[in-house]
Amino acid sequence: MTATGASEGVGARGAPVSGPWWWARRRSAVLDVVLAAASAVECAFEGARFASGAQLPELVGVLLGLLAGPVLLVRRRWPVVVVLVSIAVIPAEMGGLLSTVGLYTLAASDVPRRITGVLAGMTVVGTLVTTFLSLRQDVLAQEDFQPPMWLLPAMSLALGLVLTAPPVLWGLYVGARRRLVESLRERADGLERELSLLADRAEERAEWARNEERTRIAREMHDVVAHRVSLMVVHAAALQAVALKDPEKASKNAGLVGDMGRQALTELREMLGVLRTADGAAVRGAAASGAPERLAAVASWAGAQATVQARSPEASVVAESAGDGEPEGGAPVPAPAAAEADSEGPYLAELGDLVGQSRAAGMVVELTVDGVAEGEPAAAGQRYAPPVERTVYRVVQEALTNVHKHAPGARARVRLAHREGELAVQVENGPCEGGAADAGLPSGGNGLVGMRERVTALGGAFVSGPTEAGGFRVSAVLPAASAVS
């Protein structure tokens, strides 16, 4: 900031400096040159008159005026110097323009107000004294005129205030207005930067939300499909082993493999149907931002429907044919579209069916429920919020899938505990039996990670690791603060 309150590197309205030296604009420099020339001419004439009255050579007065008047050239840079020069030449009765412009520039600048007040007071006093002495000399020259004693001081004070107060007040107003405009401009720039930061943060949050949604979709697809396919592989291995020895058991396993395959195909069709519908909506210009949520809901719904279909092969066939249905426009319509509002995923009441599927695959699984009777959840219906029950179901499902993959033939135990304020689940299996055939199931290494993400997302605790007996244990505790009566 310069002494006048204008930015040194910025001109009016934020324009870059284009003038010479300390002027922000060329027209400001031109204005100051014109004012300095006018002040020099005025001071030269008044200096000549003062020199004549003081019985000095007129050239001295002219030179004094030519030295004092052009000081206005530096009024924007050093306004205090201009006012001091104007005060110094007051006794010579010159520098009216110099004093007026100097006081205006001083009041409009960023010079501390106490300095402005002191210099303005000195100007008033100098004008008052000079005027009083000049009037007194004129009065004494007229013997027949005897004014009251208060008249000369009052006139001198009034003249000093009239010559000093208007430029000071106008300069204060202009300076305050200039600072207000600069403050508003800085605030606007700050808001613009803040909006830019908010836009960047919104983009980062959107990218984070997209990544989280991709992870959630992948986790849902892994839970509802990987378990089903793993059971198919286990049944296929058992079918291969007993095909010649026990045809009846081989036929039963073949039927189970077919049921599992149809259920897996149905679930995949539902997911792909949602994706195709979302793509079609995007092509038509509709907003498809809800597709990930719909896909996750479809995945949860498909997992819930698989339990029902496992009880009845005919239901699987009906679901398969329903999944092939298409409207007149040719776009496949997912079957759970009408059921999304009623079913958000598997519940605790379906744990028995989930354990039954593993038992049908040849695994020895023990299910115990602490805190309530084993049949109470199925009879009483939903007891906890859907995310809590769905998470417990997925943990048990993934843990049993891992037993099929990594410990074929091992015994498993599923424990569900209803405690005060929390819901705990534990799945533990023993060591793999040496005589059991390995089904050769691949592992992507995402099962435990997905379980941990699900549990911690609800504020729960998740622990997994090997046991001393050579088996593996998975434990999860979820807060039941959202339980419903």
Side-chain angles (χ1 to χ4, degrees):
M1 303 291 288
T2 65
T4 61
S7 299
E8 292 183 352
V10 179
R13 299 182 181 178
V17 173
S18 59
W21 294 344
W22 52 80
W23 286 286
R25 294 167 296 177
R26 295 186 182 276
R27 65 179 182 179
S28 300
V30 173
L31 175 62
D32 288 352
V33 169
V34 172
L35 290 175
S39 177
V41 172
E42 178 197 9
C43 290
F45 278 106
E46 292 175 346
R49 186 179 59 184
F50 171 76
S52 177
Q55 297 181 356
L56 295 173
E58 293 186 0
L59 182 60
V60 175
V62 172
L63 291 176
L64 179 61
L66 292 178
L67 289 175
V71 176
L72 283 179
L73 284 173
V74 297
R75 71 183 185 93
R76 299 177 188 269
R77 188 70 171 179
W78 297 294
V80 175
V81 174
V82 175
V83 175
L84 289 175
V85 171
S86 68
I87 294 174
V89 299
I90 286 178
E93 297 181 354
M94 67 172 64
L97 180 62
L98 176 65
S99 176
T100 302
V101 177
L103 287 173
Y104 163 79
T105 306
L106 179 67
S109 68
D110 285 342
V111 174
R113 291 290 168 256
R114 62 179 181 274
I115 297 179
T116 302
V118 170
L119 294 178
M122 292 174 60
T123 303
V124 171
V125 172
T127 304
L128 186 151
V129 172
T130 303
T131 304
F132 177 80
L133 294 177
S134 177
L135 291 176
R136 182 178 178 81
Q137 185 177 2
D138 293 340
V139 169
L140 291 177
Q142 300 177 9
E143 297 179 357
D144 57 342
F145 180 65
Q146 298 294 332
M149 294 182 59
W150 56 267
L151 181 61
L152 296 182
M155 291 180 62
S156 301
L157 179 61
L159 183 61
L161 293 177
V162 168
L163 295 178
T164 304
V168 171
L169 295 178
W170 182 251
L172 291 175
Y173 166 74
V174 172
R177 183 176 178 275
R178 179 186 297 134
R179 285 186 288 274
L180 176 62
V181 172
E182 291 178 356
S183 175
L184 293 176
R185 183 182 296 117
E186 291 176 358
R187 183 178 300 178
D189 294 340
L191 289 176
E192 184 177 357
R193 289 192 298 269
E194 186 175 350
L195 289 176
S196 178
L197 290 176
L198 289 176
D200 295 340
R201 292 178 181 176
E203 183 65 24
E204 293 176 359
R205 285 196 298 268
E207 183 64 25
W208 175 83
R210 285 192 291 267
N211 293 334
E212 286 293 316
E213 199 59 37
R214 292 190 191 101
T215 303
R216 190 165 74 94
I217 293 173
R219 189 166 55 239
E220 290 288 345
M221 294 185 68
H222 176 272
D223 290 339
V224 302
V225 177
H227 178 72
R228 200 77 57 207
V229 176
S230 299
L231 291 179
M232 290 174 57
V233 175
V234 172
H235 283 298
L239 174 62
Q240 184 179 8
V242 302
L244 298 178
K245 300 179 182 179
D246 192 348
E248 182 178 355
K249 187 175 181 179
S251 176
K252 180 180 178 181
N253 286 339
L256 291 175
V257 170
D259 292 342
M260 294 293 178
R262 281 189 290 271
Q263 294 165 13
L265 287 175
T266 300
E267 295 166 6
L268 288 175
R269 281 198 186 96
E270 301 295 350
M271 297 176 190
L272 294 177
V274 171
L275 288 176
R276 292 195 189 101
T277 303
D279 293 341
V283 171
R284 293 189 300 271
S289 60
E293 291 81 356
R294 295 178 59 197
L295 178 57
V298 169
S300 301
W301 178 88
Q305 294 300 314
T307 304
V308 179
Q309 295 169 4
R311 301 174 185 171
S312 173
E314 291 79 2
S316 300
V317 176
V318 172
E320 181 179 357
S321 60
D324 295 334
E326 295 183 359
E328 295 180 1
V333 179
E340 286 179 358
D342 298 328
S343 176
E344 298 185 22
Y347 298 125
L348 293 181
E350 302 169 17
L351 278 181
D353 298 327
L354 179 64
V355 171
Q357 295 175 10
S358 294
R359 288 172 179 168
M363 180 189 298
V364 179
V365 187
E366 177 184 356
L367 173 62
T368 59
V369 181
D370 299 332
V372 293
E374 182 174 354
E376 183 177 343
Q382 179 182 345
R383 289 195 41 171
Y384 301 93
V388 176
E389 298 201 7
R390 183 164 58 248
T391 299
V392 172
Y393 183 94
R394 296 303 187 198
V395 168
V396 175
Q397 183 184 56
E398 181 61 27
L400 292 178
T401 301
N402 289 340
V403 175
H404 284 293
K405 289 182 178 179
H406 307 294
R411 300 173 62 90
R413 183 181 182 185
V414 180
R415 295 184 58 188
L416 183 67
H418 298 271
R419 304 171 184 170
E420 184 176 358
E422 62 183 17
L423 178 63
V425 62
Q426 183 183 89
V427 181
E428 181 179 352
N429 63 274
C432 176
E433 295 184 1
D438 189 357
L441 290 169
S443 175
N446 298 318
L448 293 177
V449 175
M451 285 190 282
R452 184 181 302 276
E453 290 175 350
R454 283 182 178 276
V455 174
T456 55
L458 297 179
F462 179 82
V463 179
S464 63
T467 62
E468 296 180 356
F472 200 83
R473 180 187 297 117
V474 172
S475 302
V477 179
L478 291 135
S482 56
V484 293
S485 58

